[in-house]
Amino acid sequence: MVDAGLIVEGGGMRGIYAAGVLDYFIDHDIYFKSTYGVSAGSCNASSYLSKQRDRAYRVSVDYLNDKRYCSVYSLLTTGDMFGVELCYDLLPNQLDPYDYETFKKYEGSFYAAVTNCKTGKAEYIRIKDMKKDIVVIRASSSLPLLSRNVEIKGEKYLDGGIADSIPLAESIRSGNKKNVIILTQCQGYQKEPNKLVPLLKAKYWRYPKLVEAMKTRHIRYNQSLALIEKERAKGKAFVFQPQRNPGIKRIEKDKDKLRKLYEFGYTDAKMNYDKLMKFLEQERS
């Protein structure tokens, strides 16, 4: 167990890069005191913390042609582009069983970032029992316009990336002096304003603070990138990210592209293993 934080960004199908990095961590028994997952990052972190190598990759790729998994059909018939029944019931409980017991043995803390629709603010919900708390993973991964709002304890939530795509500041506030961050955008990326704001206003008119959070998301995202660079300059942040634009859409159906991006993630982790261990050497116990 490493006395440091791990932050896993989302990004839809680009998250398969993080799945590759995390599988390398599984192979080398690298686990962290605190893990933060956002959107697809929370899904990938879930399989990492249950120590199920290749599972995040399989879940992302093996069902691409199943209309119950990710399709316009699913969106039109259920309100969710990513089918809830398949993703959060059939897959973990039947088709590619999730190791709930191994997850429970994780000695650290796992948080999934979600966005409160009423307040427009990020919340970081700790997941202790994946079977009971999988609704939080669903909320963290529920993309605006492509998913229904998710209710948890009477509150409505959507994708955690709306309010906080890279919760480094939260990890630091929680006491993590060092952090490993897995990004899914390439080096030099800066987020631009959302061009769909008019559509978002029409869809979420009941939630003006949520709309404002969507409108200003790019500002917070780029501030997080600036914080990463400050922490890296101080020797307190270690970053994995694609070296170039992977050409992967948020919703990608090309299995070859996805496989290559997964392999890039695994290879990047392998090539940087010694540097990572040096970065973490005083934090490992």
Side-chain angles (χ1 to χ4, degrees), residues 24-85:
Y24 189 85
F25 286 178
I26 291 174
D27 288 347
H28 292 79
D29 196 33
I30 304 171
Y31 294 92
F32 298 77
K33 181 182 73 174
S34 301
T35 301
Y36 293 84
V38 184
S39 195
S42 66
C43 298
N44 291 326
S46 297
S47 292
Y48 157 67
L49 294 176
S50 64
K51 301 185 178 183
Q52 290 177 271
R53 192 188 192 287
D54 285 334
R55 185 177 184 277
Y57 175 82
R58 294 195 304 270
V59 169
S60 296
V61 173
D62 288 0
Y63 298 88
L64 284 175
N65 295 323
D66 189 326
K67 65 182 181 180
R68 299 171 299 168
Y69 175 66
C70 176
S71 66
V72 174
Y73 169 85
S74 177
L75 179 63
L76 294 176
T77 57
T78 70
D80 293 284
M81 177 69 79
F82 288 87
V84 171
E85 182 180 11

Side-chain angles (χ1 to χ4, degrees), residues 118-173:
K118 182 178 179 180
T119 67
K121 301 292 185 181
E123 295 180 16
Y124 312 92
I125 302 177
R126 185 175 178 183
I127 297 176
K128 297 180 180 181
D129 184 328
M130 189 60 71
K131 200 172 190 69
K132 294 179 180 178
D133 298 333
I134 196 167
V135 66
V136 181
I137 301 297
R138 178 189 162 197
S140 181
S141 307
S142 291
L143 300 171
L145 300 178
L146 300 179
S147 307
R148 292 170 289 172
N149 299 346
V150 179
E151 184 170 330
I152 303 173
K153 296 182 179 179
E155 295 284 339
K156 299 292 183 64
Y157 294 94
L158 277 175
D159 193 292
I162 297 168
D164 192 357
S165 297
I166 312 168
L168 174 57
E170 175 64 18
S171 183
I172 293 172
R173 280 194 294 269

Side-chain angles (χ1 to χ4, degrees), residues 67-284:
K67 65 182 181 180
R68 299 171 299 168
Y69 175 66
C70 176
S71 66
V72 174
Y73 169 85
S74 177
L75 179 63
L76 294 176
T77 57
T78 70
D80 293 284
M81 177 69 79
F82 288 87
V84 171
E85 182 180 11
L86 181 64
C87 292
Y88 303 105
D89 182 9
L90 295 178
L91 270 168
N93 296 316
Q94 297 180 31
L95 300 176
D96 200 327
Y98 187 79
D99 192 336
Y100 295 104
E101 293 306 312
T102 294
F103 175 81
K104 286 182 180 180
K105 294 176 183 177
Y106 171 54
E107 296 178 353
S109 300
F110 176 38
Y111 302 91
V114 295
T115 299
N116 186 304
C117 293
K118 182 178 179 180
T119 67
K121 301 292 185 181
E123 295 180 16
Y124 312 92
I125 302 177
R126 185 175 178 183
I127 297 176
K128 297 180 180 181
D129 184 328
M130 189 60 71
K131 200 172 190 69
K132 294 179 180 178
D133 298 333
I134 196 167
V135 66
V136 181
I137 301 297
R138 178 189 162 197
S140 181
S141 307
S142 291
L143 300 171
L145 300 178
L146 300 179
S147 307
R148 292 170 289 172
N149 299 346
V150 179
E151 184 170 330
I152 303 173
K153 296 182 179 179
E155 295 284 339
K156 299 292 183 64
Y157 294 94
L158 277 175
D159 193 292
I162 297 168
D164 192 357
S165 297
I166 312 168
L168 174 57
E170 175 64 18
S171 183
I172 293 172
R173 280 194 294 269
S174 298
N176 292 312
K177 297 179 180 179
K178 286 188 176 182
N179 288 278
V180 174
I181 304 127
I182 306 176
L183 302 178
T184 57
Q185 294 285 8
C186 62
Q187 292 180 344
Y189 174 81
Q190 289 282 297
K191 186 172 287 295
E192 298 181 355
N194 194 329
K195 297 179 181 179
L196 298 177
V197 170
L199 183 57
L200 293 167
K201 284 182 178 180
K203 171 74 173 178
Y204 300 105
W205 61 270
R206 293 185 181 88
Y207 303 104
K209 292 183 179 179
L210 176 67
V211 173
E212 182 63 20
M214 294 173 178
K215 183 178 178 181
T216 58
R217 180 185 179 188
H218 66 289
I219 298 173
R220 289 186 303 281
Y221 187 95
N222 295 335
Q223 287 173 339
S224 293
L225 294 180
L227 177 60
I228 289 172
E229 292 309 311
K230 288 181 181 179
E231 290 294 295
R232 182 149 55 177
K234 293 188 290 187
K236 295 184 177 181
F238 195 98
V239 181
F240 290 96
Q241 66 185 134
Q243 301 302 302
R244 54 186 173 79
N245 189 331
I248 298 289
K249 299 186 291 288
R250 182 177 287 272
I251 297 175
E252 179 63 65
K253 296 285 189 175
D254 190 319
K255 291 186 178 183
D256 289 336
K257 286 185 177 180
L258 292 169
R259 179 70 192 180
K260 288 178 181 177
L261 186 55
Y262 167 85
E263 291 173 348
F264 285 154
Y266 191 91
T267 300
D268 282 351
K270 181 178 181 180
M271 291 179 62
N272 287 283
Y273 175 77
D274 290 340
K275 291 179 181 178
L276 177 65
M277 289 299 98
K278 185 176 181 179
F279 171 78
L280 296 171
E281 61 186 1
Q282 294 182 344
E283 315 301 326
R284 191 154 193 177

